[in-house]
Structure formats: structure tokens, C-alpha cells
């Protein structure tokens, strides 16, 4: 297989040849490579350095996102399969220097895969039954059951079962992953892809405390204003509609839009107004919460674009939907993989739309699209740390006098009625549950609490142990000097972007943030040494070399210059059958080649997916059928399909077509995406 497709096959220990530097890749660092050249370099490195990626016979490596630095260095993410099965924890990143030479790899799995057989003893149905037994809440459907190799610890054959439903609170949606041993039927692990802001334990504690659509061609960008509950008077980018009304749709930021559930859970309607002056700062005016959410999403967009050169949390220049007034007395907020949703709090009196809450939830989307950190073990804690870090950084960047930047998480929503925040980055244990210092193994704790060492590390790196706004006791009694929150945040973003893998541990995060510091500021300079000191101060040790001499020269800024992810998040209604049909377009640009493994992620809500026919249509009209009236009585299609489109031109308008072939059940295309 050619490297330009982004795939390498390794069969019986032999790597199929890929293009070398002599076949198109520059031999030196005299110019920045394009994506095809960077892929060729990475594929060649994978073939030549199998031990470094923990390669095994019978594996195939599928290239995904590519980062190309201004220096010409590149970083390519891969997924792997083993004897045709996807490998959980099999992802890795291959690094090439400016001259195109192999510069190392970051690998998720601890050991190479070697299985005597890939034939399961337990059937898919038996695995599903085992997974269902531990579901806490109301189960509504099965999103899929896939035979995989679980390589997170000891490689083994397993079923990955995905269940859908509602959590035990009766309100929060659930998309639960369950890993079931395919030989013994033992449930190995389970986690939810819906990321909530407040752990259930803290909601329980708070309950006992004292109580305190797509724009039409004639639509035009507009400048409005609003008064939010938390943010006060703020400017808003909106859309002027024909007929004299305005909607909370932001055409300047990828068509971010804000809608209301009206304290239900069925349909979220885009907020509108007649004078483009929104809210009065109180919950009595139902637009006020929308002001805070819309403003918070805009501030998050601006922060990642202005500071990290990332346009949209997915890097695709597309906005997201903020959904307010969800359910009744719902004391939480969540990211569901597509949208960010906010409840109105206890007694519907205190919406969870504060600035750091909005930034926190959207940052889960960033983590999903960059490193896909799983929501368990150390990776789960690091996932939550990432959202706390960037939620706080959004708050600092907004510089809003009504909610000044700080390292308290969720202080404005006043969950406990006494002004206490949910989490404290400078001393996580102040919340009574989080950990200041790293320990292993964790006593089966929620990722919101195992995030403590990551939050503590970031505060020490940014502000130091005594020089910041709050004292921050270290776990080893050391003194840490901070480097400033801007540089600390850039190091964390770089590590997430170019080095973290899906099963990231705290010890590996130490190594990866050191690599990021060296990438950005030079090997063994002050920033590098501060990363070492801050990790040691929270009991995360490592085998990194001690720096004794002068640091290396800073390499300069390293903004990513390549994106291969495209999406459409506009909700499109599917007319009822038997002849109902809907299409959702995506325009693809600047892609030099089409891969053998185009990843098509589809989210469709429908009462009867077995009534639907779903096709992906290439720009030249070629139809790829991905779903044909299957999957039984489930409530959604939430899947990623892999298509060989290597014979097609990549650029142009791709379409998702959904046809309803039976009557009485309604639905909608929620979102879909293409990753080249």
C-alpha cells in the first residue's frame, strides 16, 4: 500500500514498501513538507522502526491527523489493527525531524500484541448481556458490539459493547463503553462518552446543603448585545433574519448557535429576539442564560484560535451548538460528543452557564479530537485536567470584570449555596475528594477527582508554589517557581496535540510535557526544568535526564499548518417515510489525495433506524452505502464507517443522504464528519 493513502500493511513480519525521500520527500530541512510528503516520511519510519511502535506480525497501521511544524518537523497519528481487528490502546504518534528522519514515537500500548487466536469463546450476544447487567440507569438501546484486541494492559481478545440510555439521575444521557473479555466474559472496564461537569457525589452533597438551524441566503451577520446572569453586559455576534428578527447564531465563528430546551429534553429551538438586545441578567428572562452560553462559546473559540491557532475545537472551522434550559431541576452540564448542554440547576434557579463551565465542557471536544483520551484510569483524570486547565484559561483570556480569571472551578454557579467552587487547582484536596498528589493504583475514583495531580501540576508550573494568587503546598516539600500561565498552557496544548495517546498515564504525561517544553522553548531551558520540578512536586516521577548544562536554543513557534477534518453539525430533519429523504453536505478543500481509510462519523437520531438507508456520496456522484435498514429497534445511529475512496478526487462537495422507507417514525441528521 502506498504511503499517500496513509496506510501500511505488515503481514508475516514483512512491511510492504512505501515511498522514500528519493520518491518525493525532501532530503533536508530546506522547505516545509506537504501532507503527502509528511505521510511518506512517517510511513517509512513505521516500516523501519517496528520495535519503536511495538509492532507485531499481522498488523495494519492507519494514518490519521498530521501536524507539520514551521520548522518542517512533522507528527503523524496512527491507529492499528491486528489480524483485521481494531486495537484498543493501539494508537501511536510517529515524529519526523525537519530533515525527514525518524525522531521517535509515542505509543499507547505497553507491549506488542501476540494472541494464539482471534476466535472468541463468548458470542457478541453473550457479551452484550454481560455489559447490560452493570448498566446503572435506564437502558434504551445498543449502539454496537465490536470484536477488538484490548492492548491497554495485557493484550487480550475482547468485545467492545456500546450502550445508550439515561443515567441513574433519569436526566443525563449515556453512551457507555463496556469492555468484555471474549474468552471469560469478565467485564474489564466501562466508561461513558458523555462528559458531565459535576460528579454525582457532589450533586448529592449539594442537595443536602443550604439552598441559595442553517442560515438562509438572505440572512446577514449582526452585532447585538446581551446581559448575562454571570457575565453581565457583553457584545454578541448574531444573525439578522428576514422579517426583522434575530437569532443566536454566530456567523463569524463557524455558525456557533445557542438553543433552548425550555426545560424539556426533546427539542432544542434556536433562541430568537426582535431587537437584538438579549436578556436582563436574571433567570426570570429566559434569554439571559442563552447570553452567557453564547458568549462563553465565542470566548472559547477566540481563545483557541488566538492563542493556539486552532479554528474551532475540532480544528475544522465549524462551530458547535450550545443547549440551555435542559430538563427540569437539572444540576449539571455535559459534552455529548457533538453539543454542549446546560441545565438550570436546583429549583431551575442557577443555570450552569458560567464562563469556566462552558470552556471546560467544550475542551472535552478538543481532547476528543486531538488525543482521544479515554475516560478511565490516569487518562480519565488527565482528560478532566485538560478541561479544567483550558476552562480557566478561557476565563483569564476573556478578562470579564464580572467573572475574573482564577484557578477555582465552577465558583460562579454556587452549587453548595455558600460560594465554594467545585474544584481548586492550587490545592485540589480542598474539595474533600480530589487528590493533591499522584498515587497508584487509584481506589476506583471518578476522573473529576483523579484530575487533581494534573490540575496541581499546572498551577505550580504556571504560578509556582508561593508566588501566585494562592499558596500551593507541594507533595515533596519543594519550592516551585512558575513560568506564567500562558507558557504553561502552550506546553499542555502542545503535549495534547503532538504527544499524548489515548491511554496516557501520569508518568507518560511527564515525559510528553517535557517533550512539548523542548519543542516550544528548547531542551533544558527554564521551561523544561520547571516542568520537571512541577511534576516531581505532585509525586509524578520519571526517568528523564537531569539537566546540568545550559539549555538549547528555542526552536520558535510551532503552529500546526495542516487540517484534514471536515464536518457538518447543522441539524437536518429527515421527513417521514416511505419516501422521506434528507441530505447534509460537506465541502472538502486542500486535500492532496484520498485515502483507503476515509473515516466517516455519523450521528442520526431516529425512532426506527431499521427504516433508514444511509449513503455517503462522493463529489463525482459515487454512492457508498453504509447502512441499509439494519440494527433493529435502536434509537440512533452513532457509528464511524471506514471507506476506501482512494480512486476519488477528495475536494468538492460530499453528501450524507438518509432515506426513510417506512412511516410513523421521525428523526434527524444531528452531525457527520469526514477525516482524510
Amino acid at each position: 500500500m502506498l504511503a499517500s493513502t496513509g496506510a501500511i500493511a505488515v503481514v508475516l513480519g514483512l512491511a510492504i514498501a512505501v515511498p522514500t525521500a528519493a520518491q518525493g520527500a525532501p532530503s533536508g530541512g530546506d522547505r516545509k513538507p506537504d501532507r503527502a510528503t509528511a505521510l511518506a516520511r512517517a510511513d517509512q519510519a513505521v516500516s523501519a522502526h517496528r520495535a519503536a511502535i511495538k509492532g507485531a506480525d499481522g498488523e495494519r497501521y492507519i494514518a490519521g491527523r498530521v501536524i507539520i511544524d514551521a520548522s518542517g518537523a512533522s507528527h503523524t497519528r496512527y491507529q492499528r489493527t491486528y489480524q483485521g481487528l481494531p486495537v484498543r490502546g493501539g494508537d501511536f504518534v510517529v515524529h519526523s525531524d525537519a530533515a525527514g528522519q525518524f525522531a521517535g514515537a509515542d505509543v499507547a500500548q505497553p507491549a506488542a500484541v501476540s494472541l494464539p487466536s482471534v476466535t472468541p469463546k463468548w458470542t457478541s450476544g453473550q457479551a452484550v448481556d454481560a455489559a447490560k447487567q452493570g448498566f446503572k440507569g435506564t437502558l434504551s438501546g445498543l449502539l454496537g458490539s465490536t470484536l477488538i484486541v484490548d492492548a491497554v494492559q495485557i493484550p487480550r481478545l475482547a468485545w467492545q459493547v456500546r450502550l445508550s440510555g439515561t443515567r441513574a439521575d433519569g436526566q443525563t444521557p449515556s453512551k457507555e463503553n463496556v469492555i468484555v473479555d471474549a474468552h471469560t466474559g469478565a467485564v474489564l472496564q466501562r466508561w461513558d462518552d458523555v462528559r458531565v461537569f459535576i460528579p454525582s457525589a457532589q450533586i448529592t452533597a449539594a442537595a443536602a446543603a443550604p439552598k441559595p438551524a442553517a442560515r438562509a441566503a438572505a440572512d446577514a451577520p449582526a452585532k447585538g448585545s446581551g446581559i448575562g446572569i454571570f457575565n453581565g453586559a457583553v457584545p454578541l455576534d448574531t444573525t439578522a433574519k428576514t422579517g426583522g428578527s434575530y437569532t443566536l447564531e454566530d456567523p463569524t465563528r463557524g455558525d456557533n448557535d445557542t438553543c433552548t430546551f425550555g426545560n424539556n429534553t426533546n427539542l432544542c429551538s434556536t433562541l430568537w429576539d426582535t431587537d437584538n438586545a438579549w436578556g436582563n441578567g436574571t433567570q426570570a428572562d429566559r434569554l439571559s442564560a442563552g447570553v452567557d452560553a453564547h458568549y462563553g462559546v465565542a470566548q472559547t473559540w477566540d481563545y483557541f484560535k488566538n492563542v493556539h491557532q486552532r479554528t474551532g475545537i475540532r480544528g475544522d472551522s465549524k462551530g458547535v451548538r450550545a443547549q440551555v434550559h435542559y430538563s427540569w431541576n437539572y444540576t449539571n452540564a455535559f459534552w455529548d460528543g457533538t453539543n454542549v448542554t446546560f441545565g438550570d440547576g436546583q429549583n431551575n434557579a442557577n443555570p450552569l452557564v458560567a464562563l469556566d463551565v462552558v470552556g471546560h465542557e467544550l475542551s472535552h471536544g478538543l481532547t476528543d479530537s486531538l488525543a482521544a483520551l479515554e475516560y478511565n484510569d490516569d487518562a480519565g483524570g488527565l482528560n478532566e485536567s485538560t478541561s479544567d486547565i483550558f476552562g480557566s484559561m478561557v476565563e483569564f483570556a476573556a478578562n470579564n470584570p464580572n467573572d475574573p480569571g482564577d484557578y477555582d472551578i465552577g465558583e460562579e454557579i454556587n452549587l453548595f449555596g455558600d460560594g465554594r467552587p467545585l474544584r481548586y487547582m492550587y490545592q485540589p484536596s480542598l474539595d474533600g475528594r480530589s487528590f493533591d498528589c499522584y498515587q497508584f493504583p487509584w481506589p476506583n475514583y471518578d476522573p473529576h477527582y483523579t484530575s487533581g495531580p494534573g490540575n496541581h501540576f499546572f498551577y505550580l508550573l504556571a504560578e509556582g508554589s508561593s508566588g501566585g494568587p494562592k499558596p500551593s503546598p507541594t507533595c515533596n516539600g519543594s519550592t516551585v517557581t512558575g513560568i506564567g500561565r500562558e507558557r504553561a498552557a502552550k506546553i499542555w496544548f502542545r503535549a495534547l496535540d503532538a504527544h499524548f495517546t489515548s491511554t496516557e498515564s501520569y508518568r507518560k504525561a511527564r515525559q510528553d510535557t517535557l517533550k512539548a517544553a523542548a519543542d516550544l522553548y528548547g531542551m533544558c531551558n527554564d521551561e523544561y526544568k520547571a516542568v520537571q520540578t512541577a511534576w516531581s512536586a505532585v509525586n509524578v516521577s520519571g526517568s528523564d535526564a537531569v539537566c546540568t548544562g545550559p539549555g538549547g536554543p528555542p526552536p520558535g513557534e510551532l503552529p500546526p499548518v495542516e487540517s484534514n477534518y471536515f464536518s457538518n453539525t447543522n441539524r437536518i430533519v429527515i421527513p417521514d417515510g416511505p419516501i422521506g429523504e434528507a441530505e447534509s453536505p460537506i465541502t472538502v478543500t486542500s486535500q492532496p489525495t484520498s485515502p483507503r481509510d476515509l473515516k466517516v462519523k455519523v450521528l442520526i437520531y431516529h425512532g426506527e433506524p431499521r427504516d433508514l438507508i444511509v449513503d455517503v456520496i462522493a463529489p463525482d456522484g459515487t454512492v457508498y452505502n453504509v447502512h441499509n435498514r439494519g440494527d433493529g429497534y435502536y434509537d440512533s445511529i452513532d457509528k464511524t464507517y471506514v471507506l476506501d475512496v482512494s480512486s476519488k478526487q477528495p475536494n468538492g462537495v460530499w453528501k450524507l443522504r438518509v432515506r426513510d422507507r417506512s412511516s410513523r417514525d421521525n428523526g434527524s441528521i444531528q452531525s457527520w464528519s469526514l477525516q482524510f
Side-chain angles (χ1 to χ4, degrees):
M1 299 180 185
L2 297 179
S4 60
T5 70
I8 296 176
V10 179
V11 182
L12 300 177
L14 298 176
I16 293 177
V18 297
T20 64
Q23 293 171 295
S27 59
D30 55 337
R31 67 179 178 86
K32 190 160 53 183
D34 58 18
R35 185 174 190 272
T37 300
L39 271 175
R41 292 173 171 179
D43 284 352
Q44 183 67 26
V46 170
S47 294
H49 299 276
R50 292 184 61 205
I53 64 164
K54 297 181 172 63
D57 293 350
E59 290 189 339
R60 182 170 181 260
Y61 308 114
I62 305 167
R65 196 166 53 87
V66 180
I67 302 167
I68 304 172
D69 297 339
S71 67
S74 59
H75 317 270
T76 304
R77 288 189 176 271
Y78 287 87
Q79 300 288 337
R80 79 176 78 205
T81 63
Y82 177 83
Q83 296 189 31
L85 300 180
V87 180
R88 175 181 172 233
D91 55 303
F92 58 93
V93 186
V94 168
H95 307 284
S96 301
D97 65 19
Q101 302 301 307
F102 177 65
D106 291 301
V107 184
Q109 67 192 51
V113 177
S114 179
L115 298 181
S117 170
V118 292
T119 301
K121 294 181 179 178
W122 277 54
T123 66
S124 172
Q126 289 173 313
V128 170
D129 289 341
K132 286 180 177 179
Q133 290 177 13
F135 188 86
K136 297 179 180 179
T138 302
L139 187 65
S140 64
L142 172 68
L143 297 176
S145 177
T146 305
L147 189 64
I148 66 168
V149 175
D150 183 359
V152 172
Q153 295 179 353
I154 300 172
R156 68 186 90 192
L157 194 66
W159 290 98
Q160 182 165 359
V161 180
R162 297 192 69 224
L163 305 173
S164 66
T166 305
R167 294 190 186 181
D169 63 8
Q171 297 175 296
T172 307
S174 176
K175 296 179 182 179
E176 188 168 73
N177 294 270
V178 188
I179 307 300
V180 180
D181 192 303
H183 289 310
T184 68
V187 173
L188 304 175
Q189 208 153 30
R190 57 197 319 145
W191 71 93
D192 206 311
D193 283 337
V194 176
R195 310 289 158 74
V196 297
F197 182 67
I198 304 175
S200 58
Q202 285 182 296
I203 294 175
T204 301
K211 301 294 189 293
R215 292 181 292 117
D219 298 344
K223 296 292 183 181
S225 62
I227 305 176
I229 296 168
F230 300 111
N231 296 303
V234 292
L236 299 174
D237 284 285
T238 63
T239 295
K241 310 294 285 187
T242 55
S245 65
Y246 301 85
T247 56
L248 281 185
E249 296 173 284
D250 186 347
T252 70
R253 297 177 179 89
D255 289 329
N256 288 332
D257 78 298
T258 303
C259 64
T260 177
F261 275 106
N263 294 122
N264 288 298
T265 60
N266 299 324
L267 177 65
C268 199
S269 303
T270 300
L271 286 166
W272 64 276
D273 187 52
T274 56
D275 60 4
N276 214 14
W278 304 76
N280 65 4
T282 72
Q283 173 69 332
D285 187 328
R286 304 293 280 170
L287 297 177
S288 299
V291 170
D292 281 331
H294 200 66
Y295 170 79
V297 172
Q299 292 301 308
T300 303
W301 175 288
D302 290 350
Y303 169 74
F304 284 117
K305 181 177 181 181
N306 296 337
V307 177
H308 302 292
Q309 293 80 52
R310 186 169 182 81
T311 307
I313 59 170
R314 305 179 190 89
D316 60 354
S317 301
K318 299 293 180 64
V320 299
R321 166 163 279 201
Q323 305 180 145
V324 299
H325 302 309
Y326 175 80
S327 194
W328 185 261
N329 289 338
Y330 184 62
T331 307
N332 223 322
F334 59 84
W335 168 257
D336 64 7
T338 304
N339 306 311
V340 59
T341 302
F342 307 94
D344 280 343
Q346 295 178 37
N347 303 316
N348 292 327
N350 210 19
L352 278 79
V353 289
L355 194 51
D356 59 354
V357 180
V358 178
H360 173 106
E361 290 305 322
L362 288 172
S363 293
H364 279 307
L366 175 84
T367 299
D368 289 348
S369 65
L370 291 183
L373 293 178
E374 287 194 351
Y375 205 65
N376 52 62
D377 297 329
D378 284 8
L382 291 163
N383 194 314
E384 281 295 329
S385 288
T386 299
S387 284
D388 282 351
I389 288 166
F390 289 126
S392 293
M393 291 305 298
V394 168
E395 195 177 69
F396 277 112
N399 197 28
N400 186 304
N402 294 288
D403 186 9
D406 54 46
Y407 296 95
D408 292 331
I409 306 300
E411 73 283 358
E412 292 288 336
I413 63 174
N414 196 22
L415 179 71
F416 305 106
D418 56 7
R420 284 182 292 151
L422 271 77
R423 292 184 288 280
Y424 308 77
M425 296 184 71
Y426 50 89
Q427 191 174 348
S429 61
L430 290 177
D431 68 8
R433 293 181 173 88
S434 293
F435 297 85
D436 290 335
C437 313
Y438 181 69
Q439 65 180 64
F440 184 83
W442 299 111
N444 197 28
Y445 261 72
D446 188 296
H448 292 89
Y449 308 136
T450 59
S451 67
N455 286 353
H456 196 187
F457 158 79
F458 183 83
Y459 183 87
L460 290 168
L461 181 63
E463 304 289 352
S465 53
S466 59
K470 297 288 180 66
S472 182
T474 60
C475 304
N476 60 359
S478 64
T479 298
V480 180
T481 301
I483 61 173
R485 59 179 177 267
E486 290 82 6
R487 281 182 288 175
K490 286 195 173 186
I491 288 171
W492 192 272
F493 184 93
R494 173 67 176 184
L496 181 74
D497 190 21
H499 298 286
F500 280 8
T501 56
S502 62
T503 59
E504 193 80 4
S505 68
Y506 268 105
R507 285 178 61 87
K508 188 171 182 298
R510 176 185 174 116
Q511 301 306 315
D512 289 343
T513 49
L514 285 170
K515 293 174 188 175
D519 290 345
L520 291 168
Y521 302 110
M523 183 70 178
C524 289
N525 278 330
D526 290 344
E527 294 82 2
Y528 184 95
K529 295 176 182 177
V531 171
Q532 289 180 306
T533 303
W535 277 125
S536 296
V538 298
N539 284 355
V540 177
S541 59
S543 58
D544 40 292
V546 177
C547 296
T548 56
E557 293 296 318
L558 300 173
V561 297
E562 186 273 341
S563 176
N564 63 331
Y565 180 92
F566 304 86
S567 69
N568 188 334
T569 59
N570 293 321
R571 179 179 178 273
I572 298 176
V573 173
I574 303 168
D576 195 15
I579 57 171
E581 181 173 318
E583 287 188 349
S584 177
I586 291 177
T587 300
V588 173
T589 60
S590 304
Q591 298 304 299
T593 58
S594 292
R596 294 182 187 272
D597 53 3
L598 176 69
K599 298 174 186 65
V600 184
K601 182 174 176 58
V602 174
L603 178 60
I604 297 171
Y605 291 161
H606 195 275
E608 293 279 8
R610 69 176 185 168
D611 295 347
L612 303 181
I613 300 172
V614 182
D615 300 313
V616 176
I617 305 175
D620 68 354
T622 302
V623 176
Y624 298 87
N625 178 254
V626 296
H627 176 93
N628 192 352
R629 305 188 69 168
D631 285 353
Y633 296 91
Y634 310 145
D635 59 358
S636 66
I637 299 174
D638 184 5
K639 290 187 176 181
T640 298
Y641 304 96
V642 179
L643 303 179
D644 182 351
V645 296
S646 55
S647 64
K648 305 300 176 185
Q649 289 297 320
N651 300 312
V653 179
W654 294 72
K655 296 178 182 178
L656 183 74
R657 181 177 66 191
V658 181
R659 290 174 285 173
D660 189 341
R661 287 298 177 254
S662 295
S663 60
R664 296 190 302 276
D665 293 288
N666 298 314
S668 61
I669 302 171
Q670 293 294 113
S671 65
W672 72 295
S673 65
L674 301 169
Q675 183 174 348
F676 285 79

